[in-house]
């Protein structure tokens, strides 16, 4: 069944209508004045794709083999913390939809569903690791992902301290939720979300529950999760994880070519160029702007992924033409779930993105992923001048 929504932006508007402010702002917001968040989008607006004509591309596809796996589309689902806050069951729905569509799904350390549950639903899922203050917890998380047979470990390196997310501060966001009069009124105005969340229970950091007390409260789990933000991660620790992890290892959150080159030298299997969706350093450049320099630093033989600012299929094409092999999206999938619920929302986002990318391929004269990587691009100065 098709919906009345045809774009990710339309899904965002519907999610804003259906969700209480604290849930929408949590997924939609960035750090500080949100300049980095806007910069991520502006970078795509400044890239133009040059069509080629008179090419027989009636038979086309965009499948890609990367990190030892073949995917039907060159996009996947980024790690998302507290996805079940947007709607109960979001993590599981995302994993199921990704597996069905043949795209990667990355479970976050801060996910609200456990490694073991996700592995039982979608065994080819990836796991994203935060290296926190407590090394035994880090070791245990790595061991659990290994025991579950997950093929890729993604180590996030761009959270040495929490970002200052002003929307969350203004909403007095905390776990468990502590409704004041304004929040209570907002919940009354969004009964579907309130009832669904009440029935499911407050979202919990499921991957960390075993490290707290047997009857750990949401407050204590939230405190434990706060400890997963640490500035102690360095190249030595990353190297130790590399030595321990037996399969593909990807570093997420690199923005400088020198760091990317060092990661390659250290034996990393891939890089995700990312500024954490504009949620960490407000002054960080857009990942798309950093992509060319990183691709030049690591060469064509290392998988490079991009995360941040992607809202449509043509954005995916722009990222590939600029140097990415595959892109990850987080907010877009949450918008879909916020708009339509977990059972339909993620699948509709995949349908929208794949349809838009396929249409773009036809216009660009591209028959496959390799040809998308070679599309000519123009960059504008924001005023239409090249």
């Amino acid at each position: 069944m098709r919906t009345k929504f045809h774009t990710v932006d339309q899904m965002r508007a519907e999610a804003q209508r259906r969700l209480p402010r604290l849930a929408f702002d949590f997924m939609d917001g960035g750090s500080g004045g949100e300049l980095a968040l806007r910069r991520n989008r502006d970078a795509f607006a400044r890239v133009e794709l040059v069509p080629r004509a008179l090419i027989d591309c009636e038979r086309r596809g965009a499948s890609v083999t990367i990190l030892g796996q073949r995917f039907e589309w060159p996009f996947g689902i980024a790690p998302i913390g507290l996805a079940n806050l947007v709607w109960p069951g979001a993590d599981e729905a995302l994993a199921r939809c990704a597996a069905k569509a043949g795209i990667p799904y990355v479970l976050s350390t801060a996910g609200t569903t456990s490694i073991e549950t996700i592995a039982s639903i979608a065994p080819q899922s990836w796991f994203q690791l935060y290296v926190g203050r407590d090394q035994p917890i880090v070791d245990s998380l790595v061991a659990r992902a290994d025991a579950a047979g997950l093929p890729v470990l993604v180590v996030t390196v761009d959270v040495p301290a929490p970002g200052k997310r002003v929307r969350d501060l203004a909403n007095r966001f905390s776990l468990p939720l502590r409704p004041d009069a304004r929040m209570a009124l907002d919940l009354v105005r969004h009964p579907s979300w309130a009832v669904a969340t009440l029935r499911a229970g407050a979202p919990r950091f499921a991957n960390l529950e075993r490290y707290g007390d047997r009857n750990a409260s949401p407050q204590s789990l939230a405190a434990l999760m706060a400890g997963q933000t640490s500035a102690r991660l360095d190249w030595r620790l990353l190297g130790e994880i590399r030595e321990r992890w037996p399969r593909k290892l990807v570093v997420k959150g690199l923005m400088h070519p020198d760091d990317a080159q060092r990661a390659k030298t250290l034996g990393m299997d891939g890089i995700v160029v990312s500024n954490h969706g504009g949620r960490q350093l407000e002054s960080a450049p857009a990942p798309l702007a950093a992509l060319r320099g990183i691709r030049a630093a690591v060469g064509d033989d290392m998988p490079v992924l991009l995360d941040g600012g992607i809202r449509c299929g043509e954005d995916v094409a722009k990222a590939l033409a600029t140097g990415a092999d595959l892109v990850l999206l987080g907010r877009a999938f949450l918008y879909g779930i916020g708009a339509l619920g977990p059972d339909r929302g993620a699948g509709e986002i995949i349908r929208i993105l794949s349809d838009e990318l396929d249409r773009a391929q036809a216009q660009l004269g591209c028959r496959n992923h390799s040809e998308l990587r070679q599309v000519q691009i123009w960059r504008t100065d924001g005023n239409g001048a090249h």
Side-chain angles (χ1 to χ4, degrees):
M1 181 175 62
R2 293 292 181 255
T3 73
K4 62 183 179 181
F5 307 111
H6 307 290
T7 69
V8 171
D9 286 340
Q10 289 176 345
M11 291 282 206
R12 177 186 181 277
E14 179 67 6
Q16 188 170 21
R17 186 187 71 80
R18 291 191 70 207
L19 297 177
R21 180 174 177 177
L22 83 150
F24 179 81
D25 281 355
F26 174 79
M27 72 169 173
D28 192 61
S31 62
E34 302 190 344
L35 292 177
L37 195 156
R38 293 193 289 275
R39 198 176 293 121
N40 287 0
R41 290 294 304 127
D42 290 344
F44 282 96
R46 289 195 294 270
V47 172
E48 299 172 356
L49 301 170
V50 183
R52 296 299 301 272
L54 299 171
I55 297 173
D56 181 357
C57 55
E58 186 173 10
R59 294 184 179 181
R60 57 186 182 273
S63 64
V64 56
T65 298
I66 185 173
L67 298 168
Q69 292 177 269
R70 182 185 182 277
F71 298 111
E72 293 299 323
W73 298 99
F75 59 81
I77 302 174
I80 300 170
L82 280 178
N84 286 5
L85 176 69
V86 174
W87 212 274
D91 285 323
E92 294 185 28
L94 289 167
R96 282 194 302 269
C97 284
K100 182 178 179 180
I103 64 172
Y105 166 73
V106 191
L107 174 68
S108 173
T109 293
T112 32
T113 306
S114 71
I115 296 170
E116 292 75 14
T117 298
I118 292 298
S120 70
I121 294 170
Q124 295 303 304
S125 298
W126 304 355
F127 179 65
Q128 174 267 332
L129 175 71
Y130 284 121
V131 178
R133 300 169 192 161
D134 193 331
Q135 188 61 37
I137 292 179
V138 176
D139 293 340
S140 177
L141 288 168
V142 173
R144 288 168 60 192
D146 185 12
L150 301 186
V152 179
L153 181 68
V154 180
V155 182
T156 292
V157 299
D158 59 358
V159 189
K164 183 176 182 179
R165 297 164 193 170
V166 177
R167 289 201 225 180
D168 291 347
L169 294 172
N171 292 331
R172 299 181 181 177
F173 177 81
S174 65
L175 286 179
L177 303 178
R178 297 185 178 88
D180 55 15
R182 188 184 72 172
M183 187 186 300
L185 179 60
D186 197 20
L187 297 181
V188 169
R189 291 171 175 166
H190 300 87
S192 296
W193 182 92
V195 170
T197 300
L198 182 63
R199 286 176 176 169
R204 299 165 67 88
F205 294 105
N207 285 312
L208 301 177
E209 287 186 316
R210 66 176 61 184
Y211 310 120
D213 297 332
R214 178 172 298 180
N215 298 311
S217 67
Q219 295 100 315
S220 62
L221 287 174
L224 191 60
M225 184 62 225
Q228 305 317 302
T229 298
S230 171
R232 77 185 186 96
L233 177 59
D234 58 12
W235 291 104
R236 178 187 62 81
L237 278 175
L238 183 62
E240 291 177 0
I241 296 171
R242 171 67 286 180
E243 291 177 3
R244 178 174 180 180
W245 181 255
R247 291 178 288 282
K248 301 296 185 181
L249 193 149
V250 172
V251 181
K252 180 176 182 291
L254 298 184
M255 295 288 287
H256 196 289
D258 291 352
D259 289 339
Q261 193 171 48
R262 186 167 182 179
K264 182 178 182 180
T265 302
L266 199 60
M268 303 300 119
D269 296 297
I271 291 167
V272 182
V273 184
S274 172
N275 64 8
H276 215 92
R279 293 169 69 82
Q280 285 299 112
L281 179 66
E282 184 184 7
S283 301
L288 189 68
L291 179 57
R292 272 194 163 177
I294 287 180
R295 171 55 78 190
V298 301
D300 290 333
D301 60 333
M302 185 174 199
V304 175
L305 294 76
L306 181 134
D307 167 81
I310 299 153
R311 293 293 182 272
C312 66
E314 288 192 22
D315 287 344
V316 178
K318 290 176 181 181
L320 267 58
T322 305
D325 296 295
L326 183 143
V327 303
L328 299 174
L329 302 89
R331 286 186 181 90
F333 285 99
L334 292 183
Y335 294 151
I337 287 175
L340 296 173
D343 293 332
R344 295 174 60 201
E348 279 298 298
I349 293 296
I350 293 171
R351 182 189 66 80
I352 288 170
L353 292 171
S354 57
D355 175 69
E356 290 172 342
L357 179 58
D358 181 66
R359 292 170 187 263
Q361 277 189 257
Q363 297 289 338
L364 295 166
C366 294
R367 290 159 292 201
N368 52 50
H369 178 274
S370 296
E371 292 180 359
L372 279 168
R373 287 283 313 278
Q374 298 171 36
V375 169
Q376 184 179 0
I377 59 176
W378 290 346
R379 284 183 171 80
T380 72
D381 61 5
N383 298 310
H386 294 105

